[in-house]
Amino acid sequence: MNCHDKAHRLIHTYLDGDLSKAEEKILSSHLEECEACQRHLYELKRTITLLPSTEQVSAPADFTKNVMQKLPAEKKRVTYLRMWKAHPLVVSAALLFIFMISGVFATWHQDSELVVSKQEGLMIEENTVIVPADVTVSGDVYVKNGDLRIDGSVDGNVTLINGRLIEDEPRQGEPLMASVGEVSGELKQIDQFFDWIWYQVEYVFQNVFRF
Amino acid sequence: MEQVIRDKIRQVKKGDQSAFEDVIAFYQDKIYRHCFRMIGNAHEAEDIAQEAFIRAYINIHSFDDRRKFSTWLYRIATNVTIDHIRKRKPDYFLDDKIKGTEGLDMYSRLISNTPSPGEEAESRELQRYIHQEITRLPPKYRSIIILRYIEEFSLQEISNTMDIPLGTVKTRIHRAREALRKKLRYV
Ligand SMILES: [Zn+2]
Protein backbone atom coordinates (compact mmCIF):
# COMPACT_ATOMS: atom_id res chain seq x y z
CA MET A 1 0.00 0.00 0.00
CA ASN A 2 2.74 2.37 0.94
CA CYS A 3 4.33 1.78 -2.43
CA HIS A 4 1.04 2.75 -4.15
CA ASP A 5 0.86 5.97 -2.19
CA LYS A 6 4.29 6.88 -3.35
CA ALA A 7 3.34 5.96 -6.92
CA HIS A 8 0.23 8.14 -6.68
CA ARG A 9 2.33 11.08 -5.61
CA LEU A 10 4.64 10.47 -8.54
CA ILE A 11 1.68 10.20 -10.89
CA HIS A 12 0.53 13.68 -9.86
CA THR A 13 4.02 15.03 -10.16
CA TYR A 14 4.09 13.55 -13.64
CA LEU A 15 0.76 15.17 -14.51
CA ASP A 16 2.17 18.53 -13.42
CA GLY A 17 5.19 17.97 -15.66
CA ASP A 18 7.58 18.05 -12.72
CA LEU A 19 8.94 14.52 -12.82
CA SER A 20 12.73 14.11 -12.67
CA LYS A 21 14.54 11.44 -14.66
CA ALA A 22 15.11 9.34 -11.55
CA GLU A 23 11.47 9.60 -10.47
CA GLU A 24 10.37 8.73 -13.97
CA LYS A 25 12.27 5.47 -13.76
CA ILE A 26 10.78 4.61 -10.39
CA LEU A 27 7.26 5.34 -11.62
CA SER A 28 7.53 3.46 -14.90
CA SER A 29 8.96 0.38 -13.28
CA HIS A 30 6.17 0.44 -10.72
CA LEU A 31 3.51 0.85 -13.37
CA GLU A 32 4.89 -2.11 -15.28
CA GLU A 33 4.10 -4.41 -12.42
CA CYS A 34 1.12 -2.69 -10.76
CA GLU A 35 -2.20 -2.81 -12.57
CA ALA A 36 -4.01 -0.76 -9.90
CA CYS A 37 -1.67 2.18 -10.40
CA GLN A 38 -1.91 1.86 -14.18
CA ARG A 39 -5.66 2.06 -13.83
CA HIS A 40 -5.32 5.04 -11.50
CA LEU A 41 -3.19 6.94 -13.96
CA TYR A 42 -5.56 6.08 -16.79
CA GLU A 43 -8.56 7.40 -14.87
CA LEU A 44 -6.79 10.61 -13.95
CA LYS A 45 -5.72 11.25 -17.53
CA ARG A 46 -9.19 10.57 -18.77
CA THR A 47 -10.68 12.95 -16.19
CA ILE A 48 -8.33 15.67 -17.37
CA THR A 49 -9.29 15.18 -20.99
CA LEU A 50 -12.97 15.27 -20.11
CA LEU A 51 -12.80 18.58 -18.25
CA PRO A 52 -12.46 21.01 -21.17
CA SER A 53 -15.58 19.62 -22.78
CA THR A 54 -17.81 21.86 -20.69
CA GLU A 55 -19.39 23.99 -23.32
CA GLN A 56 -18.52 27.55 -24.26
CA VAL A 57 -20.73 30.33 -23.03
CA SER A 58 -20.54 34.04 -23.81
CA ALA A 59 -21.43 37.05 -21.74
CA PRO A 60 -25.03 38.28 -22.12
CA ALA A 61 -25.70 40.80 -24.87
CA ASP A 62 -25.76 44.03 -22.88
CA PHE A 63 -23.08 43.06 -20.42
CA THR A 64 -20.63 45.92 -21.07
CA LYS A 65 -23.39 48.50 -21.18
CA ASN A 66 -24.83 47.27 -17.91
CA VAL A 67 -21.49 47.41 -16.14
CA MET A 68 -20.81 50.92 -17.42
CA GLN A 69 -24.14 52.07 -16.03
CA LYS A 70 -23.29 50.69 -12.62
CA LEU A 71 -19.86 52.27 -12.31
CA PRO A 72 -19.57 54.98 -9.68
CA ALA A 73 -19.81 58.49 -11.06
CA GLU A 74 -16.59 59.63 -12.61
CA LYS A 75 -14.82 62.67 -11.26
CA LYS A 76 -16.47 65.79 -12.64
CA ARG A 77 -13.23 67.32 -13.72
CA VAL A 78 -12.56 64.65 -16.30
CA THR A 79 -16.05 64.74 -17.71
CA TYR A 80 -15.74 68.47 -18.32
CA LEU A 81 -12.27 68.18 -19.75
CA ARG A 82 -13.38 65.47 -22.14
CA MET A 83 -16.39 67.51 -23.10
CA TRP A 84 -14.15 70.50 -23.68
CA LYS A 85 -11.85 68.45 -25.89
CA ALA A 86 -14.66 66.90 -27.87
CA HIS A 87 -16.82 69.99 -28.32
CA PRO A 88 -14.81 73.15 -27.66
CA LEU A 89 -17.28 75.39 -29.44
CA VAL A 90 -20.30 74.01 -27.67
CA VAL A 91 -18.63 74.38 -24.31
CA SER A 92 -17.52 77.95 -25.06
CA ALA A 93 -21.01 78.87 -26.13
CA ALA A 94 -22.42 77.22 -23.04
CA LEU A 95 -20.05 79.15 -20.79
CA LEU A 96 -20.95 82.41 -22.47
CA PHE A 97 -24.58 81.57 -21.96
CA ILE A 98 -23.98 80.87 -18.29
CA PHE A 99 -22.30 84.26 -17.90
CA MET A 100 -25.19 86.01 -19.52
CA ILE A 101 -27.66 84.31 -17.25
CA SER A 102 -25.60 84.73 -14.15
CA GLY A 103 -25.35 88.42 -14.75
CA VAL A 104 -21.69 88.92 -15.38
CA PHE A 105 -22.52 91.41 -18.12
CA ALA A 106 -24.99 93.22 -16.01
CA THR A 107 -22.50 93.43 -13.18
CA TRP A 108 -20.00 94.96 -15.46
CA HIS A 109 -22.26 97.73 -16.62
CA GLN A 110 -24.15 98.62 -13.50
CA ASP A 111 -21.61 98.32 -10.82
CA SER A 112 -19.28 101.31 -10.61
CA GLU A 113 -18.90 101.57 -6.87
CA LEU A 114 -15.49 101.19 -5.33
CA VAL A 115 -14.96 97.77 -3.92
CA VAL A 116 -11.92 96.97 -1.80
CA SER A 117 -10.88 93.86 0.00
CA LYS A 118 -10.88 94.39 3.75
CA GLN A 119 -7.43 94.53 5.22
CA GLU A 120 -5.79 96.39 8.00
CA GLY A 121 -3.52 99.19 6.88
CA LEU A 122 -5.26 100.01 3.61
CA MET A 123 -6.17 103.67 3.28
CA ILE A 124 -8.75 105.12 0.97
CA GLU A 125 -8.60 108.65 -0.40
CA GLU A 126 -11.49 109.45 -2.67
CA ASN A 127 -11.25 106.89 -5.40
CA THR A 128 -7.76 105.74 -4.61
CA VAL A 129 -6.71 102.91 -2.38
CA ILE A 130 -3.32 103.39 -0.78
CA VAL A 131 -0.93 100.98 0.80
CA PRO A 132 1.06 103.43 2.91
CA ALA A 133 4.81 103.25 3.17
CA ASP A 134 6.05 101.13 6.08
CA VAL A 135 2.83 99.13 5.97
CA THR A 136 2.71 95.49 4.91
CA VAL A 137 -0.75 94.35 3.99
CA SER A 138 -1.18 90.65 4.37
CA GLY A 139 -3.47 88.68 2.08
CA ASP A 140 -4.73 89.28 -1.43
CA VAL A 141 -5.70 92.82 -2.29
CA TYR A 142 -8.65 93.30 -4.58
CA VAL A 143 -9.66 96.68 -5.88
CA LYS A 144 -12.54 97.24 -8.24
CA ASN A 145 -13.56 100.54 -9.81
CA GLY A 146 -10.78 102.40 -8.13
CA ASP A 147 -7.07 103.13 -8.40
CA LEU A 148 -4.35 101.67 -6.27
CA ARG A 149 -1.13 103.12 -4.99
CA ILE A 150 1.35 100.87 -3.32
CA ASP A 151 3.97 102.67 -1.28
CA GLY A 152 4.42 99.89 1.24
CA SER A 153 4.15 96.23 0.42
CA VAL A 154 1.56 93.55 -0.13
CA ASP A 155 2.07 90.02 1.04
CA GLY A 156 -0.21 88.36 -1.48
CA ASN A 157 -1.71 88.82 -4.93
CA VAL A 158 -3.06 92.10 -6.20
CA THR A 159 -6.03 92.22 -8.50
CA LEU A 160 -7.08 95.52 -9.96
CA ILE A 161 -10.31 95.67 -11.85
CA ASN A 162 -11.28 98.66 -13.89
CA GLY A 163 -8.74 100.87 -12.21
CA ARG A 164 -5.16 102.04 -12.54
CA LEU A 165 -2.06 101.39 -10.60
CA ILE A 166 -0.81 104.84 -9.65
CA GLU A 167 2.87 105.12 -9.94
CA ASP A 168 4.65 107.81 -7.99
CA GLU A 169 6.40 110.49 -9.88
CA PRO A 170 10.09 110.15 -9.21
CA ARG A 171 11.09 113.00 -6.96
CA GLN A 172 13.64 115.40 -8.13
CA GLY A 173 17.19 114.69 -7.21
CA GLU A 174 16.45 111.12 -6.37
CA PRO A 175 17.40 108.26 -8.59
CA LEU A 176 14.60 106.62 -10.51
CA MET A 177 13.41 103.77 -8.40
CA ALA A 178 10.87 101.13 -8.84
CA SER A 179 7.81 103.16 -8.17
CA VAL A 180 5.63 100.30 -7.07
CA GLY A 181 6.10 98.93 -3.61
CA GLU A 182 6.63 95.27 -3.10
CA VAL A 183 4.02 92.73 -4.05
CA SER A 184 4.95 89.24 -3.06
CA GLY A 185 2.31 87.61 -5.24
CA GLU A 186 0.98 88.28 -8.68
CA LEU A 187 -0.11 91.68 -9.86
CA LYS A 188 -3.06 91.46 -12.16
CA GLN A 189 -4.73 94.39 -13.85
CA ILE A 190 -8.04 93.92 -15.47
CA ASP A 191 -9.35 96.98 -17.14
CA GLN A 192 -11.03 95.84 -20.23
CA PHE A 193 -14.27 94.14 -20.75
CA PHE A 194 -12.82 91.01 -22.28
CA ASP A 195 -10.19 90.76 -19.63
CA TRP A 196 -12.98 90.85 -17.15
CA ILE A 197 -14.75 88.04 -18.99
CA TRP A 198 -11.54 86.06 -19.05
CA TYR A 199 -11.07 86.59 -15.37
CA GLN A 200 -14.55 85.17 -14.81
CA VAL A 201 -13.82 82.22 -17.08
CA GLU A 202 -10.69 81.41 -15.14
CA TYR A 203 -12.61 81.69 -11.93
CA VAL A 204 -15.31 79.34 -13.18
CA PHE A 205 -12.74 76.86 -14.46
CA GLN A 206 -10.76 76.84 -11.28
CA ASN A 207 -13.86 76.03 -9.33
CA VAL A 208 -15.55 73.61 -11.67
CA PHE A 209 -12.41 71.65 -12.40
CA ARG A 210 -11.23 71.38 -8.89
CA PHE A 211 -11.02 67.79 -7.62
CA MET B 1 -3.73 43.53 -27.52
CA GLU B 2 -1.85 43.52 -24.24
CA GLN B 3 -0.49 46.97 -25.14
CA VAL B 4 -3.89 48.34 -26.07
CA ILE B 5 -5.26 47.20 -22.73
CA ARG B 6 -2.27 48.73 -20.96
CA ASP B 7 -3.00 52.10 -22.58
CA LYS B 8 -6.66 51.86 -21.73
CA ILE B 9 -5.86 51.12 -18.10
CA ARG B 10 -3.61 54.15 -17.99
CA GLN B 11 -6.48 56.29 -19.28
CA VAL B 12 -8.83 54.80 -16.71
CA LYS B 13 -6.31 55.61 -13.99
CA LYS B 14 -6.29 59.20 -15.17
CA GLY B 15 -10.02 59.20 -14.62
CA ASP B 16 -11.35 58.48 -18.09
CA GLN B 17 -14.23 56.17 -17.38
CA SER B 18 -15.10 55.63 -21.02
CA ALA B 19 -11.78 53.87 -21.58
CA PHE B 20 -12.97 51.16 -19.22
CA GLU B 21 -15.70 50.25 -21.66
CA ASP B 22 -13.17 48.75 -24.04
CA VAL B 23 -11.55 46.84 -21.22
CA ILE B 24 -14.88 45.28 -20.27
CA ALA B 25 -15.73 44.49 -23.87
CA PHE B 26 -12.41 42.74 -24.32
CA TYR B 27 -12.61 40.56 -21.20
CA GLN B 28 -16.34 40.12 -20.71
CA ASP B 29 -16.61 36.65 -22.26
CA LYS B 30 -13.59 35.29 -20.45
CA ILE B 31 -14.62 36.61 -17.07
CA TYR B 32 -18.27 35.74 -17.49
CA ARG B 33 -17.34 32.21 -18.55
CA HIS B 34 -15.02 31.84 -15.59
CA CYS B 35 -17.74 32.93 -13.19
CA PHE B 36 -20.29 30.73 -14.88
CA ARG B 37 -18.08 27.71 -14.56
CA MET B 38 -17.41 28.45 -10.94
CA ILE B 39 -21.00 29.14 -9.97
CA GLY B 40 -22.91 27.02 -12.48
CA ASN B 41 -25.77 29.47 -12.89
CA ALA B 42 -26.13 32.00 -15.69
CA HIS B 43 -27.99 34.64 -13.75
CA GLU B 44 -25.65 34.59 -10.79
CA ALA B 45 -22.66 34.44 -13.09
CA GLU B 46 -23.78 37.68 -14.71
CA ASP B 47 -24.15 39.46 -11.36
CA ILE B 48 -20.80 38.22 -10.17
CA ALA B 49 -18.96 39.06 -13.37
CA GLN B 50 -20.46 42.56 -13.26
CA GLU B 51 -19.35 43.00 -9.70
CA ALA B 52 -15.87 41.82 -10.59
CA PHE B 53 -15.55 44.53 -13.25
CA ILE B 54 -16.96 47.18 -10.93
CA ARG B 55 -14.48 46.20 -8.23
CA ALA B 56 -11.67 46.28 -10.74
CA TYR B 57 -12.72 49.79 -11.74
CA ILE B 58 -12.97 51.05 -8.19
CA ASN B 59 -9.60 49.57 -7.25
CA ILE B 60 -7.83 50.36 -10.49
CA HIS B 61 -5.25 52.46 -8.67
CA SER B 62 -4.04 49.45 -6.74
CA PHE B 63 -3.28 47.63 -10.00
CA ASP B 64 0.44 47.54 -10.74
CA ASP B 65 0.96 48.41 -14.43
CA ARG B 66 3.97 46.16 -14.70
CA ARG B 67 1.86 43.09 -14.10
CA LYS B 68 -0.62 41.37 -16.34
CA PHE B 69 -4.05 42.91 -16.14
CA SER B 70 -5.84 39.67 -16.97
CA THR B 71 -4.21 37.93 -14.00
CA TRP B 72 -5.39 40.69 -11.72
CA LEU B 73 -8.89 40.63 -13.17
CA TYR B 74 -9.18 36.85 -12.84
CA ARG B 75 -8.13 37.12 -9.23
CA ILE B 76 -10.87 39.64 -8.51
CA ALA B 77 -13.43 37.53 -10.35
CA THR B 78 -12.37 34.43 -8.44
CA ASN B 79 -12.50 36.18 -5.09
CA VAL B 80 -15.90 37.69 -5.80
CA THR B 81 -17.20 34.27 -6.83
CA ILE B 82 -15.81 32.51 -3.77
CA ASP B 83 -17.27 35.21 -1.51
CA HIS B 84 -20.57 34.71 -3.22
CA ILE B 85 -20.48 30.93 -2.83
CA ARG B 86 -19.70 31.28 0.87
CA LYS B 87 -22.56 33.69 1.46
CA ARG B 88 -25.14 31.75 -0.45
CA LYS B 89 -27.05 29.47 1.86
CA PRO B 90 -28.43 26.41 0.14
CA ASP B 91 -26.20 25.22 -2.64
CA TYR B 92 -28.06 24.64 -5.84
CA PHE B 93 -27.05 23.37 -9.17
CA LEU B 94 -27.61 23.62 -12.85
CA ASP B 95 -30.52 21.26 -12.96
CA ASP B 96 -32.48 23.34 -10.52
CA LYS B 97 -35.53 24.88 -12.08
CA ILE B 98 -35.50 28.58 -12.76
CA LYS B 99 -38.44 30.33 -11.21
CA GLY B 100 -41.25 30.86 -13.66
CA THR B 101 -39.91 28.66 -16.42
CA GLU B 102 -41.53 25.35 -15.78
CA GLY B 103 -39.70 22.35 -17.05
CA LEU B 104 -36.87 24.46 -18.42
CA ASP B 105 -33.59 24.20 -16.64
CA MET B 106 -30.58 26.46 -16.96
CA TYR B 107 -28.87 24.26 -19.43
CA SER B 108 -31.66 24.00 -21.91
CA ARG B 109 -31.67 27.78 -21.88
CA LEU B 110 -27.97 28.09 -22.36
CA ILE B 111 -27.61 25.53 -25.09
CA SER B 112 -30.49 26.67 -27.15
CA ASN B 113 -31.67 26.37 -30.70
CA THR B 114 -30.12 23.51 -32.69
CA PRO B 115 -32.37 20.48 -32.78
CA SER B 116 -30.31 17.78 -31.22
CA PRO B 117 -29.88 14.29 -32.59
CA GLY B 118 -29.33 11.59 -30.01
CA GLU B 119 -25.59 11.85 -30.07
CA GLU B 120 -25.53 15.55 -29.47
CA ALA B 121 -27.96 15.23 -26.60
CA GLU B 122 -25.75 12.61 -25.08
CA SER B 123 -22.62 14.75 -25.25
CA ARG B 124 -24.61 17.61 -23.82
CA GLU B 125 -25.67 15.37 -21.02
CA LEU B 126 -22.03 14.59 -20.40
CA GLN B 127 -20.97 18.24 -20.48
CA ARG B 128 -23.66 18.96 -17.99
CA TYR B 129 -22.59 16.17 -15.72
CA ILE B 130 -18.94 17.23 -15.80
CA HIS B 131 -19.81 20.82 -15.12
CA GLN B 132 -21.99 19.76 -12.24
CA GLU B 133 -19.22 17.73 -10.71
CA ILE B 134 -16.82 20.64 -11.02
CA THR B 135 -19.25 22.97 -9.28
CA ARG B 136 -19.56 20.42 -6.49
CA LEU B 137 -15.92 20.76 -5.60
CA PRO B 138 -15.11 23.10 -2.71
CA PRO B 139 -14.56 26.58 -4.18
CA LYS B 140 -10.82 26.70 -3.64
CA TYR B 141 -10.38 23.50 -5.66
CA ARG B 142 -13.00 24.49 -8.15
CA SER B 143 -11.29 27.69 -9.24
CA ILE B 144 -7.95 25.97 -9.64
CA ILE B 145 -9.32 23.10 -11.70
CA ILE B 146 -11.19 25.51 -13.96
CA LEU B 147 -8.16 27.72 -14.45
CA ARG B 148 -5.88 24.77 -15.09
CA TYR B 149 -7.90 22.46 -17.31
CA ILE B 150 -10.55 24.59 -18.90
CA GLU B 151 -8.89 27.95 -19.19
CA GLU B 152 -5.47 26.34 -19.56
CA PHE B 153 -3.44 28.51 -17.21
CA SER B 154 0.01 27.30 -16.25
CA LEU B 155 0.61 26.36 -12.62
CA GLN B 156 2.67 29.51 -12.18
CA GLU B 157 -0.07 31.67 -13.68
CA ILE B 158 -2.56 30.14 -11.27
CA SER B 159 -0.21 30.86 -8.40
CA ASN B 160 -0.01 34.52 -9.53
CA THR B 161 -3.72 34.79 -10.16
CA MET B 162 -4.85 33.29 -6.88
CA ASP B 163 -1.94 34.78 -4.98
CA ILE B 164 -1.10 31.48 -3.35
CA PRO B 165 2.23 29.62 -3.33
CA LEU B 166 2.99 27.26 -6.20
CA GLY B 167 3.23 24.34 -3.77
CA THR B 168 -0.29 25.01 -2.52
CA VAL B 169 -1.57 25.17 -6.09
CA LYS B 170 -0.08 21.74 -6.74
CA THR B 171 -1.45 20.20 -3.56
CA ARG B 172 -4.91 21.50 -4.32
CA ILE B 173 -4.74 20.35 -7.90
CA HIS B 174 -3.74 16.86 -6.81
CA ARG B 175 -6.67 16.66 -4.43
CA ALA B 176 -9.10 18.06 -6.95
CA ARG B 177 -7.94 15.63 -9.62
CA GLU B 178 -8.45 12.74 -7.24
CA ALA B 179 -11.91 13.96 -6.28
CA LEU B 180 -12.93 14.35 -9.90
CA ARG B 181 -11.43 11.01 -10.86
CA LYS B 182 -13.74 9.31 -8.40
CA LYS B 183 -16.77 11.11 -9.81
CA LEU B 184 -15.95 10.69 -13.46
CA ARG B 185 -14.37 7.24 -13.61
CA TYR B 186 -17.55 5.50 -14.78
CA VAL B 187 -18.61 8.17 -17.25
ZN1 LIG C 1 0.76 0.48 -7.37
Side-chain angles (χ1 to χ4, degrees):
Chain A
M1 266 308 156
N2 220 355
C3 119
H4 292 315
D5 284 352
K6 194 186 172 193
H8 285 183
R9 258 204 310 281
L10 290 178
I11 285 171
H12 283 287
T13 313
Y14 160 73
L15 291 174
D16 290 339
D18 289 341
L19 215 54
S20 71
K21 279 274 174 234
E23 288 171 324
E24 205 180 312
K25 266 192 182 153
I26 298 168
L27 179 59
S28 59
S29 59
H30 179 77
L31 287 176
E32 270 169 36
E33 46 194 61
C34 178
E35 238 175 85
C37 284
Q38 267 183 44
R39 175 84 198 156
H40 198 90
L41 174 59
Y42 168 79
E43 285 175 4
L44 281 169
K45 277 196 154 177
R46 193 163 167 279
T47 301
I48 291 167
T49 50
L50 279 174
L51 294 180
S53 61
T54 58
E55 83 337 330
Q56 298 287 309
V57 292
S58 303
D62 283 338
F63 187 87
T64 298
K65 208 181 92 197
N66 290 337
V67 176
M68 288 306 287
Q69 278 169 358
K70 286 183 185 170
L71 292 184
E74 120 183 78
K75 282 172 187 155
K76 270 201 180 115
R77 187 178 154 268
V78 179
T79 323
Y80 285 120
L81 279 182
R82 209 171 49 240
M83 223 164 74
W84 178 265
K85 266 192 210 162
H87 316 283
L89 278 175
V90 175
V91 175
S92 308
L95 282 174
L96 208 61
F97 185 67
I98 291 169
F99 293 148
M100 287 169 76
I101 289 179
S102 63
V104 169
F105 292 89
T107 311
W108 180 259
H109 289 299
Q110 287 164 10
D111 198 0
S112 59
E113 229 174 285
L114 173 69
V115 181
V116 188
S117 54
K118 274 182 195 157
Q119 265 123 339
E120 263 180 55
L122 283 176
M123 283 168 55
I124 299 170
E125 280 177 12
E126 287 184 31
N127 224 27
T128 303
V129 179
I130 300 163
V131 180
D134 306 328
V135 168
T136 300
V137 173
S138 60
D140 296 347
V141 173
Y142 173 95
V143 177
K144 189 173 161 191
N145 301 325
D147 300 335
L148 176 68
R149 206 176 83 205
I150 306 173
D151 296 334
S153 54
V154 175
D155 189 13
N157 298 327
V158 171
T159 307
L160 248 172
I161 295 159
N162 200 24
R164 296 185 303 130
L165 188 66
I166 297 174
E167 308 185 18
D168 276 339
E169 306 287 318
R171 282 171 209 161
Q172 275 193 338
E174 281 181 22
L176 195 70
M177 288 174 64
S179 52
V180 178
E182 279 175 52
V183 176
S184 72
E186 242 184 298
L187 182 85
K188 209 183 280 176
Q189 268 182 283
I190 299 164
D191 45 20
Q192 276 178 20
F193 182 71
F194 283 102
D195 279 354
W196 167 244
I197 290 283
W198 184 240
Y199 175 76
Q200 291 291 324
V201 169
E202 275 188 324
Y203 176 78
V204 168
F205 268 61
Q206 274 164 9
N207 285 280
V208 170
F209 293 162
R210 190 168 290 160
F211 273 102
Chain B
M1 200 60 218
E2 198 54 36
Q3 190 52 48
V4 177
I5 295 299
R6 236 173 256 281
D7 292 342
K8 293 287 174 192
I9 299 296
R10 222 163 278 148
Q11 282 170 262
V12 176
K13 278 191 173 180
K14 281 183 197 153
D16 181 355
Q17 191 172 78
S18 68
F20 198 61
E21 194 162 353
D22 299 322
V23 177
I24 306 171
F26 186 69
Y27 287 112
Q28 60 169 8
D29 284 341
K30 283 182 180 151
I31 293 300
Y32 173 79
R33 208 173 282 152
H34 182 66
C35 296
F36 176 73
R37 282 168 182 149
M38 292 267 295
I39 207 86
N41 170 307
H43 183 70
E44 280 182 281
E46 184 176 359
D47 285 348
I48 293 165
Q50 280 191 11
E51 198 190 324
F53 279 107
I54 292 168
R55 275 202 208 175
Y57 176 79
I58 293 169
N59 296 305
I60 197 75
H61 289 282
S62 69
F63 168 65
D64 179 352
D65 294 320
R66 291 162 299 182
R67 305 188 68 177
K68 241 176 129 180
F69 182 73
S70 60
T71 303
W72 190 71
L73 191 57
Y74 266 103
R75 183 191 304 178
I76 294 174
T78 306
N79 290 342
V80 173
T81 313
I82 290 177
D83 281 355
H84 185 88
I85 293 168
R86 286 204 187 113
K87 267 182 243 156
R88 155 169 103 175
K89 284 157 260 160
D91 216 359
Y92 59 96
F93 299 104
L94 287 168
D95 43 354
D96 287 347
K97 307 285 179 280
I98 317 160
K99 278 172 207 148
T101 55
E102 272 149 58
L104 266 181
D105 66 19
M106 253 320 161
Y107 251 83
S108 58
R109 262 178 53 156
L110 285 169
I111 314 163
S112 50
N113 24 54
T114 44
S116 44
E119 225 175 307
E120 208 176 304
E122 212 170 277
S123 95
R124 206 193 301 164
E125 202 53 44
L126 178 64
Q127 287 180 348
R128 171 188 183 156
Y129 182 73
I130 293 166
H131 194 158
Q132 188 175 304
E133 289 308 330
I134 293 173
T135 54
R136 276 186 176 144
L137 290 172
K140 62 179 181 180
Y141 296 132
R142 205 188 296 181
S143 48
I144 288 183
I145 279 291
I146 292 167
L147 287 173
R148 180 73 189 96
Y149 290 110
I150 304 180
E151 287 154 33
E152 296 181 328
F153 279 46
S154 72
L155 295 171
Q156 187 58 55
E157 280 173 325
I158 295 172
S159 162
N160 296 344
T161 303
M162 310 275 296
D163 204 18
I164 48 180
L166 192 57
T168 311
V169 173
K170 286 178 184 171
T171 311
R172 286 187 188 174
I173 261 186
H174 296 182
R175 292 201 183 131
R177 275 195 299 239
E178 285 297 338
L180 286 170
R181 180 190 67 89
K182 282 178 194 140
K183 308 270 192 183
L184 301 177
R185 70 208 287 195
Y186 299 119
V187 167

